[in-house]
Amino acid sequence: MVEMKLKAFAKINLGLDVLRRREDGYHEVRMIMQTIGLYDKIILKKIKNPEIQIKTNLFYVPENENNLAYQAAKLLMDEFHFDFGISIDLQKFIPVAAGMAGGSSDAAAVLYGMNRMLRLNLSKRELMERGVKIGADVPYCIMRGTALAEGIGEKLTSLPPMPGCRVLVAKPAVSVSTKFVYENLKLDDDIVHPDIDMLLEGLKESNLKKVAANMGNILESVTIPCYPAIAQIREEMMRHGALNAMMSGSGPTVFGLFEKEALAEKAYASLRAGNLAKQVYLTDIFNNRR
């Protein structure tokens, strides 16, 4: 096999809690991650020269070692000492710097694709162990589906699948620094923590309304005061009938869960017509694990 086409799926956080700041500077988290149907397209090819070539459809996405997909290819090339190279054609559709793990998902897809294409015979667990060297979200993006993430996000537990629904995704015309958000998070007695345990109960019961009612993201306490458009997008989704809506990851992307197709379509049209969001997508829950 000399070529492989792949889909790198986005994620949302149904719940995101930060428990404490560790002595090493990292934050201990408790999150529920969910794959959705929005994805980047990747074409991997073997090439003659022992190098990594990467090209993208967006001028502001790096086409060098600063791209996580490049880092994933280099990790395997360095380990297995190939006498050939890898070409990566990356078509980005997942919003960039948006709290949806787009870069991590691209890296996960490259690891998975190279493993199959080159018959490296690495297990999913072995791929995940390599993926965490690139980023904390990469192991989850290899796993996909519904999962509880703990530690710094690398300790993963598979969960019952999220009930199906429509997912509206909207990113305002701002980019948010994850480092800035975590550095400015104040874990004092006044902060409200999301109820991750109730979210877990909703998933175990396959109860979409219970899941939606208990969604929460502690990082909104930092990001929303800095970027009011996030709250405005969320309010627009709720006004159009979302079961709930909130920011994904460190933001600024907002997602809303809709039980009824017609309501989701109206909310999508409203956000597309307005000035609140630069990118708007209507997609679904994606529960396929690798």
Side-chain angles (χ1 to χ4, degrees), residues 39-239:
Y39 58 85
D40 294 340
K41 295 179 181 179
I42 297 175
I43 301 175
L44 294 180
K45 290 182 183 178
K46 283 175 66 175
I47 56 176
K48 187 174 180 180
N49 292 336
E51 62 181 353
I52 300 167
Q53 298 175 359
I54 183 166
K55 65 177 182 177
T56 75
N57 61 325
L58 300 177
F59 72 89
Y60 49 84
V61 173
E63 297 181 336
N64 53 32
E65 64 276 1
N66 294 319
N67 191 304
L68 297 188
Y70 183 107
Q71 293 176 27
K74 188 174 188 305
L75 187 149
L76 293 181
M77 288 186 73
D78 288 349
E79 178 178 354
F80 289 93
H81 307 291
F82 304 137
D83 60 358
F84 52 84
I86 295 292
S87 164
I88 304 169
D89 184 344
L90 173 57
Q91 298 292 303
K92 293 289 297 177
F93 300 97
I94 301 170
V96 176
M100 303 189 75
S104 295
S105 190
D106 295 339
V110 169
L111 291 174
Y112 174 83
M114 286 180 64
N115 185 50
R116 289 198 61 191
M117 185 172 75
L118 305 175
R119 296 180 174 85
L120 303 180
N121 298 317
L122 297 171
S123 67
K124 182 168 73 172
R125 176 56 56 187
E126 289 171 327
L127 287 175
M128 291 167 70
E129 288 169 355
R130 285 158 176 80
V132 76
K133 298 174 184 177
I134 301 168
D137 280 344
V138 178
Y140 166 73
C141 292
I142 291 171
M143 178 182 183
R144 298 193 315 205
T146 315
L148 174 67
E150 298 174 290
I152 62 169
E154 88 288 5
K155 297 177 183 176
L156 298 169
T157 305
S158 294
L159 296 175
M162 169 77 176
C165 64
R166 295 294 269 162
V167 183
L168 181 58
V169 174
K171 180 185 182 289
V174 296
S175 293
V176 173
S177 163
T178 300
K179 184 181 181 202
F180 169 84
V181 173
Y182 276 95
E183 284 179 348
N184 287 275
L185 178 64
K186 293 179 173 59
L187 294 172
D188 52 33
D189 293 339
D190 295 328
I191 198 162
V192 178
H193 291 264
D195 195 336
I196 302 297
D197 289 329
M198 285 297 288
L199 257 173
L200 290 170
E201 281 188 24
L203 289 168
K204 288 173 184 174
E205 296 167 10
S206 196
N207 186 330
L208 177 61
K209 290 182 178 177
K210 188 170 184 177
V211 169
N214 289 286
M215 290 186 341
N217 183 345
I218 199 169
L219 300 183
E220 287 185 336
S221 65
V222 178
T223 313
I224 286 180
C226 296
Y227 303 99
I230 294 170
Q232 292 171 324
I233 291 171
R234 186 176 65 187
E235 289 163 10
E236 184 73 359
M237 290 185 184
M238 296 298 294
R239 188 172 72 83

